[in-house]
Amino acid sequence: MIKIAQFGEGNFLRTFVDYYFENLNVESGKKDYSVSIIKPITFGTLEKFHAQNNKYNIVMELKEILNRRRSTRKFLAGKVEHDKLQRIVDMALQAPSSRNSRSTRLIVVEDAELLEKMSQMRDYGSSFMKDAQAAIVVMGDKEASDLWLDNCVITATILQLAVVDEGLASCWVHVNGRPCLKDEPEGAKADDYLRKLLDLPTHYGILCAVA
């Protein structure tokens, strides 16, 4: 089950640790950190969090981050720490959006079985995802903005730079408009495959996954 989390209201500081991974494992009754849907937070709560938690000091200059970013398709073993994923997503969701619509939505996937299945959404250009320790699906709420795709592109770009800032590497796997089979461009789409796999809302358009 995937729960869509709502933020920007109430006790933000109390819920920050879990809000990126707010998904309930129905069978065990415990939190399942494999799949989460994240919605933007307000600047007010973000500033409040920063004021009390000094975790966001920039450790590299922007020009160094830009120089270091590469598309990486081979990954080291070992899980990515949750606090790093939190900071990456937090920075990505600070990306600008058309008319401040904040239409971008993100899903963090860490479950190895899900990553394996995600790697099969295309027969070209996505197989390496099975070896990744995490992937972040970048989506847009079509009901929030008609420029959801443009907003997603901005967010995904900031996300990849945030990955570098955390000492990690990533690669963009395109989903929007891509066929599952390269030789059948008018056939089944990767978007539909991923939507069914992750049980995504129909009004969410998918741009890409960053592994």
Side-chain angles (χ1 to χ4, degrees), residues 12-57:
F12 170 75
L13 293 178
R14 178 177 58 80
T15 61
F16 182 83
V17 173
D18 289 324
Y19 90 87
Y20 288 116
F21 309 95
E22 191 62 40
N23 190 38
L24 182 66
N25 184 323
V26 178
E27 295 182 359
S28 66
K30 299 179 181 179
K31 285 188 182 298
D32 175 4
Y33 291 101
S34 61
V35 180
S36 311
I37 290 186
I38 303 154
K39 300 188 77 173
I41 54 180
T42 66
F43 284 111
T45 52
L46 183 61
E47 290 168 357
K48 181 179 179 183
F49 179 79
H50 285 182
Q52 298 187 26
N53 297 266
N54 187 25
K55 295 182 179 180
Y56 294 84
N57 292 327

Side-chain angles (χ1 to χ4, degrees), residues 58-116:
I58 299 175
V59 295
M60 282 189 280
E61 291 187 3
L62 177 58
K63 59 184 178 183
E64 183 179 359
I65 293 173
L66 293 171
N67 186 56
R68 289 191 179 191
R69 194 215 62 78
R70 296 288 187 276
S71 292
T72 301
R73 297 175 177 83
K74 294 183 179 181
F75 307 100
L76 298 175
K79 291 184 69 63
V80 178
E81 298 93 327
H82 285 156
D83 60 341
K84 287 189 176 182
L85 289 172
Q86 290 174 349
R87 289 194 293 270
I88 289 168
V89 170
D90 180 65
M91 286 187 279
L93 290 178
Q94 293 183 61
S97 59
S98 172
R99 301 177 65 86
N100 199 31
S101 56
R102 320 301 289 175
S103 61
T104 302
R105 308 289 183 260
L106 303 175
I107 298 179
V108 178
V109 180
E110 296 182 86
D111 181 77
E113 184 177 348
L114 269 179
L115 289 168
E116 169 74 30

Side-chain angles (χ1 to χ4, degrees), residues 20 92 129 152 177 202:
Y20 288 116
M129 292 184 68
C152 279
T202 57

